[in-house]
Each structure stands twice: as C-alpha cells, then as structure tokens.
C-alpha cells in the first residue's frame, strides 16, 4: 500500500518544530470485536481515517518496530510490541486471552495532532 503524504503535512514537516505523532489503528480479524486506537502521545486524539472516527488513546512508552518499506514507499511489513497499556485499557483482558486480537491488522499514521486536516 503506498504512503500518501498530503502537501500540507509535507510543508509542516519542513518546519523547524513539528507537532506530529504516530497513531496506530488495530483492527481485529475476529468479527464482533472493536477496533482500538493507540496514540504515541500523552493525550487522546480523535481522528477519522476514512473508516470512521476513532479515539486514539495515549500509550506512553509504546514503540512500533521499524516498518519495512519498498522503493515506492509502500509498507511491506512490520510488527509492533506493547501496543496495549497495562492500565486504563478499553479492551477486556478476557478478549485478549481468548485471542480476539491475534493476527490483528494495524495501520500507522503520522499526523499533525494540532491540525488533523493535514
């Protein structure tokens, strides 16, 4: 899947200081379980990626792995660890233990959290 970087965000990234963060959307493959949004930031971010509005909850200390990308800047693969916080977690432990989020798909977004229109 190619990376789409809007012109306004490209211009914001050229500035000396930026207000960007990574948002990670986790979509379970098992039907009936909710999507989960994680923000690598200290405040929640409400963002509509085209699949619907989702609140991305702050996950302090989480680190996605290095994403592998192709020459056309498409993402070829990746993994993530520690996406779920130990406390204040909107998904039940029973769902996690039952495997509802095994093999979940995730999408990472780089956004300007001060201007989500970019």
């Amino acid at each position: 899947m190619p990376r789409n970087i809007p012109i306004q965000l490209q211009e914001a990234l050229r500035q000396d200081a930026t207000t960007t963060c990574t948002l990670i959307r986790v979509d379970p493959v098992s039907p009936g379980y909710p999507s989960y949004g994680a923000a690598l930031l200290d405040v929640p971010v409400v963002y509509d990626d085209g699949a619907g509005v989702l609140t991305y909850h702050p996950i302090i200390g989480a680190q996605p792995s290095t994403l592998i990308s192709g020459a056309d800047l498409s993402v070829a693969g990746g993994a993530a660890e520690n996406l779920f916080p130990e406390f204040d977690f909107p998904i039940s432990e029973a769902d996690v233990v039952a495997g509802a989020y095994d093999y979940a798909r995730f999408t990472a977004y780089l956004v300007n959290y001060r201007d989500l229109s970019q």
Side-chain angles (χ1 to χ4, degrees), residues 40-84:
L40 301 184
L41 190 63
D42 59 350
V43 296
V45 176
V46 178
Y47 182 65
D48 185 352
D49 63 357
V53 175
L54 185 65
T55 299
Y56 292 78
H57 301 278
I59 307 295
I60 298 169
Q63 181 73 19
S65 74
T66 302
L67 296 175
I68 302 166
S69 62
D72 63 351
L73 298 178
S74 63
V75 177
E81 296 179 4
N82 302 325
L83 286 179
F84 302 116

Side-chain angles (χ1 to χ4, degrees), residues 14-60:
R14 289 189 186 112
Q15 303 301 315
D16 291 335
T18 63
T19 54
T20 59
C21 73
T22 301
L23 302 179
I24 301 172
R25 181 185 179 105
V26 180
D27 294 306
V29 294
S30 302
Y33 294 98
S35 295
Y36 176 74
L40 301 184
L41 190 63
D42 59 350
V43 296
V45 176
V46 178
Y47 182 65
D48 185 352
D49 63 357
V53 175
L54 185 65
T55 299
Y56 292 78
H57 301 278
I59 307 295
I60 298 169

